[in-house]
Amino acid sequence: MNKEKPTIIKLEDIAKALRVSISTVSRSLSNSSRVKEATRKKVREKADELGYIPNQIAKSLISGKTGVIGVIIPRYDEAFFIEVCRGIDHYARKHNYRILISSSRNSSRFEKENIMVFEKGIVDGLIISLTHQTKSQTHLQSMANRGTPLVVFDNMNEKIEGAMHVRIDDYSAAYEAVQFLAQKKSVQTVGFIGGTILKSIFNKRYEGYKDSLLSSDFSLKEEFVFNCKSMHQVHEYHEIYNFLSKLNQFPNAFFCSTDSYALLCIKALSKLGKRVPEDIQVVGFGNLHYSRLFNTELTSVSQPSFKMGEKAAELLLSKIIKGAYLPSEKIDELILPTKLIIRNTTC
Amino acid sequence: MNKEKPTIIKLEDIAKALRVSISTVSRSLSNSSRVKEATRKKVREKADELGYIPNQIAKSLISGKTGVIGVIIPRYDEAFFIEVCRGIDHYARKHNYRILISSSRNSSRFEKENIMVFEKGIVDGLIISLTHQTKSQTHLQSMANRGTPLVVFDNMNEKIEGAMHVRIDDYSAAYEAVQFLAQKKSVQTVGFIGGTILKSIFNKRYEGYKDSLLSSDFSLKEEFVFNCKSMHQVHEYHEIYNFLSKLNQFPNAFFCSTDSYALLCIKALSKLGKRVPEDIQVVGFGNLHYSRLFNTELTSVSQPSFKMGEKAAELLLSKIIKGAYLPSEKIDELILPTKLIIRNTTC
DNA sequence: TATATTAATACAAACGTTTGTATTGTTATT
DNA sequence: AATAACAATACAAACGTTTGTATTAATATA
């Protein structure tokens, strides 16, 4: 049985093989002009021959940089977050950075735990979307204070000093989407389906909805407003179905604070014998690509998820690379534009 | 302007503050009995006071372990992979491991690139689903040879010596799903919609489909078989729509090699005026949770994606923790069970 | 040919830990 | 009171790099 443990090659091995010093090997491989071209070549060849792979950990210990960005999202099974991660990855990769994704599972305990792991120096910076459980804000704040570059995207609670924020204008986006509905002759009432109001983005979308209704001289009917409490799609469906089935009368349209609420709403409505958009129109929020898979394509507020990731990464890396404590242009909030995409669930 | 750079506390700082040696501090914090309880307490308190956070990079350099598992998936925007990642994450987390996710973007170039980054020692092991472009197999093989624990899940091309594999029996799963359709009185012909046949899992599902038809004395009609070539959902829809619209005659059912093909198929069919399942029945593969969002719930081969991730992580960690070169029980292939979930797109 | 100059390389410290060995301090034994 | 035994702590090497400084070799200048 061949049990020889594959040995891992280091600079020292190359140095010994060539009877030169480790520093010469190191400098050769980084193409320093301090070593003669002939030697450099010899070293490169020997390195290839032995299959040398530099040890990133040792490099990191010296440079203080790991080449990794930490990302914390509330859940994996929401396409929006994955899309943002794609954007982060796309930008990061161009700058030779990797991403370490963690889910906080919508719990501040896990969030805190993840942050603590990242603080041990395995990432050069952090991009995070906060859960609605606010408690760990102090952790983030102290991380920012300690000088770790930090970008918060999507949901946030209160401002974190020293962090950068990338977001959309949830209030206005919702306001306009509801305006779009309210201006239709066929629409007299608009309902709302959203998530927990503890989450600030959901709350803002709700406020936008409310103010939009009021400014159109519509009345806000509490019975047409529903906020899901659970965090799992199957349960959410039942909550929504339950809510809708108890309605004696239906609004002409629903504005939903995410695409998945919208889809679940449509599903429940059709179960209840209502047609979309003929009987009831539905507008979602997010414009996620999976909604393309559906028969009836969803009218939705398009949120630039991928771009949001890219921008978050851009801000973060600019800080990481420049050094967090050099004076920067101090872009500490970036608001990306949204757009209502009209498809087949409105008419 | 307050420009004092936040200083990062290390063992030395605690040692100095307490006038003890660094090793005493280190041992105190790891609760070694070699240091007096009173001293340990003093050290712990000082560490808290100063806000000491251990440097994982330095630890890794010594231990040779980073506490990170690398994961390479072909694309982010396929729910199956995300679900597997969730499973990996779930298991890994319990063992104090993190995951570093990268996408190979279905390109062997990126795949290779990712592997090379991981080889620099930033991960303790690798879990990967291979793209259909085989080329980098040698890279993986040499990684395995070098002793890095390696698990391949889902798609693989040929066996990698020293790696472990977690998968399902794609052939049989497809075979049985098609049997289910073929046994219906209303079904005389079954079509197939799949992805690139270069990908071995798609190929196996196709073979299962084919053999299932033949064993039921159905004939295999080439005109009812379609394989998407593109890699983007929007394009895939057009491909499928195109294929279907050119059909003079339709089969009674379609077996699709993923859920998203099934959903796109349903969408295209309904655009063409066909009702599902009344006119044409559809079976998907994967049973992904987003299909729950749809009005008509998809009949699908349930693949234990989450579990697949968990198992992959379990195998990998057992090797990482035991040490890759100790004799292990040599579980090098794990085949997980699948199950046909009958819902509303068949009748 | 001796010396100044520069090119090429070697040495050694550093990054922040862990851990084996050496040293010091304390208590028990005689 | 001397010494053995052991507890408590300090010292130093190691992990695999990078990088500033010292040393040696090679060339140019006189």
Side-chain angles (χ1 to χ4, degrees), chain A residues 153-302:
Chain A
F153 73 94
D154 183 56
N155 190 58
M156 69 185 87
N157 306 309
E158 43 197 281
K159 218 158 160 23
I160 294 170
E161 208 53 52
M164 295 164 290
H165 300 256
V166 180
R167 59 182 189 92
I168 57 168
D169 184 345
D170 290 281
Y171 175 88
S172 305
Y175 187 97
E176 274 153 35
V178 174
Q179 281 295 304
F180 165 76
L181 289 170
Q183 271 153 20
K184 292 173 183 290
K185 285 203 204 71
S186 55
V187 173
Q188 274 79 46
T189 49
V190 180
F192 178 89
I193 293 181
T196 172
I197 41 166
L198 295 173
K199 193 156 180 174
S200 92
I201 50 167
F202 287 161
N203 206 30
K204 285 184 199 152
R205 290 175 196 175
Y206 173 72
E207 293 293 330
Y209 154 80
K210 196 176 69 180
D211 290 356
S212 188
L213 278 193
L214 297 178
S215 79
S216 312
D217 292 329
F218 280 38
S219 58
L220 174 71
K221 302 200 174 162
E222 288 294 345
E223 69 266 34
F224 291 154
V225 171
F226 181 70
N227 289 303
C228 291
K229 273 161 222 74
S230 77
M231 279 292 159
H232 191 283
Q233 273 164 3
V234 176
H235 304 148
E236 284 168 345
Y237 173 68
H238 291 130
E239 282 190 79
I240 292 171
Y241 180 83
N242 242 319
F243 160 68
L244 291 174
S245 67
K246 284 188 190 134
L247 249 39
N248 332 338
Q249 202 190 343
F250 283 84
N252 309 108
F254 274 106
F255 171 66
C256 304
S257 70
T258 69
D259 275 1
S260 52
Y261 293 136
L263 295 172
L264 293 174
C265 172
I266 292 170
K267 181 174 170 183
L269 285 173
S270 86
K271 199 106 182 176
L272 291 165
K274 302 288 178 186
R275 287 166 310 161
V276 175
E278 295 84 351
D279 302 332
I280 297 177
Q281 304 186 40
V282 175
V283 173
F285 199 114
N287 191 35
L288 296 170
H289 54 69
Y290 66 66
S291 63
R292 293 272 168 70
L293 298 171
F294 287 70
N295 282 349
T296 47
E297 300 196 329
L298 190 64
T299 293
S300 179
V301 175
S302 150

Side-chain angles (χ1 to χ4, degrees), chain A residues 10 31 65 69 118 138 164 174 186 189 238 244 257 307:
Chain A
K10 40 187 180 168
N31 243 303
K65 294 264 185 292
I69 293 176
F118 287 158
T138 61
M164 295 164 290
S186 55
T189 49
H238 291 130
L244 291 174
S257 70
K307 181 130 217 147

